[in-house]
Amino acid sequence: MLRNSSRAFRLTETFGSSSSRAACFYVRGPAVLSRCRTITTTNASEIDQRKRLTSELKDAMKSKNTFASTVLRSVLAEVYSADKNPSGPISSSQIISILRKAVTRRTDSAVQFSAASRPELAETEKREADYLAALLPPLMSEADIDTTLQKLADEHNLPSPAWPDPKRSIGLLSKAFFSQVDGSLVDSQTVRKRAQAILESRVKKDQ
């Protein structure tokens, strides 16, 4: 199991520079691109993110990297706190979500400190955000989101006369999308925006 996870992670790094190729780690089921099937069908979130973070922490401690150790401990503290929920330890997908929120918080704080003329604090927050962002798998590209949404719109015949309300069609298409794609590996606002644009273009095309 560990060997497969390590191999999948190396592939993610190898193909991470190309968002279209990285999509093979995002999409589940029939939506996986054919060219990716020959490489792997491992989802990026299925890599053991918990082990990866603890390994990074051990390495930071061994190298006496106080900065990295402090940042990693803060994130792992959030993970361990979330583990206390009734359903037990959280998944790698949920850990990715915690990492993304941690990056967002630090990025927002950096902006606020800059506005308050506290450049030294802003730099610290930005540095932490950049460090954590480097630990995240790449987000699914807008082009790959569109490809998946178009395919699902065809499969579900959307927009449909049965649902004249555009918001309902957008909701149905978004729900179908997230049934196949790991939510921690996409920006939800981008998905909804692209779903709306795709459905609107289909309505215009049919007119």
Side-chain angles (χ1 to χ4, degrees):
M1 180 67 72
L2 182 57
R3 181 179 302 172
N4 290 337
S5 296
S6 299
R7 177 173 178 272
F9 176 62
R10 287 197 296 273
L11 285 169
T12 301
E13 290 188 322
T14 301
F15 295 98
S17 60
S18 170
S19 57
S20 61
R21 290 181 182 177
C24 61
F25 297 105
Y26 303 136
V27 186
R28 298 174 183 153
V32 177
L33 300 180
S34 59
R35 67 177 179 274
C36 294
R37 289 196 184 99
T38 60
I39 301 172
T40 180
T41 56
T42 301
N43 190 302
S45 66
E46 291 172 0
I47 299 165
D48 197 328
Q49 300 293 339
R50 185 186 302 270
K51 285 185 178 180
R52 185 186 177 196
L53 287 175
T54 54
S55 177
E56 291 281 349
L57 177 57
K58 288 178 182 178
D59 289 343
M61 292 172 66
K62 285 180 181 178
S63 62
K64 297 184 179 180
N65 186 336
T66 304
F67 166 77
S69 297
T70 301
V71 177
L72 288 166
R73 281 196 178 99
S74 69
V75 172
L76 283 169
E78 292 185 59
V79 172
Y80 298 146
S81 177
D83 284 340
K84 296 178 182 178
N85 70 81
S87 58
I90 61 175
S91 66
S92 284
S93 176
Q94 291 170 302
I95 292 175
I96 291 173
S97 294
I98 287 176
L99 275 170
R100 291 204 190 281
K101 290 176 182 177
V103 171
T104 300
R105 282 199 308 272
R106 286 164 172 78
T107 301
D108 291 344
S109 294
V111 172
Q112 292 171 10
F113 281 130
S114 293
S117 299
R118 299 296 301 275
E120 70 287 352
L121 294 178
E123 180 58 31
T124 298
E125 294 293 329
K126 184 178 182 303
R127 187 183 174 201
E128 291 186 5
D130 290 344
Y131 177 79
L132 292 175
L135 298 175
L136 287 166
L139 284 171
M140 189 175 186
S141 72
E142 191 169 295
D144 290 321
I145 289 174
D146 281 1
T147 298
T148 305
L149 286 171
Q150 292 280 13
K151 183 176 184 297
L152 291 169
D154 287 338
E155 290 178 356
H156 295 276
N157 192 31
L158 294 172
S160 169
W163 299 296
D165 183 1
K167 291 183 179 179
R168 181 171 175 79
S169 292
I170 293 170
L172 289 169
L173 183 54
S174 297
K175 183 177 180 180
F177 180 90
F178 285 112
S179 71
Q180 293 194 13
V181 179
D182 189 328
S184 70
L185 301 176
V186 293
D187 179 79
S188 59
Q189 292 301 317
T190 299
V191 172
R192 187 168 184 83
K193 180 184 73 174
R194 296 310 305 154
Q196 180 177 353
I198 286 170
L199 291 173
E200 287 177 352
S201 67
R202 284 173 170 248
V203 169
K204 291 179 181 179
K205 186 177 179 180
D206 293 338
Q207 287 177 345

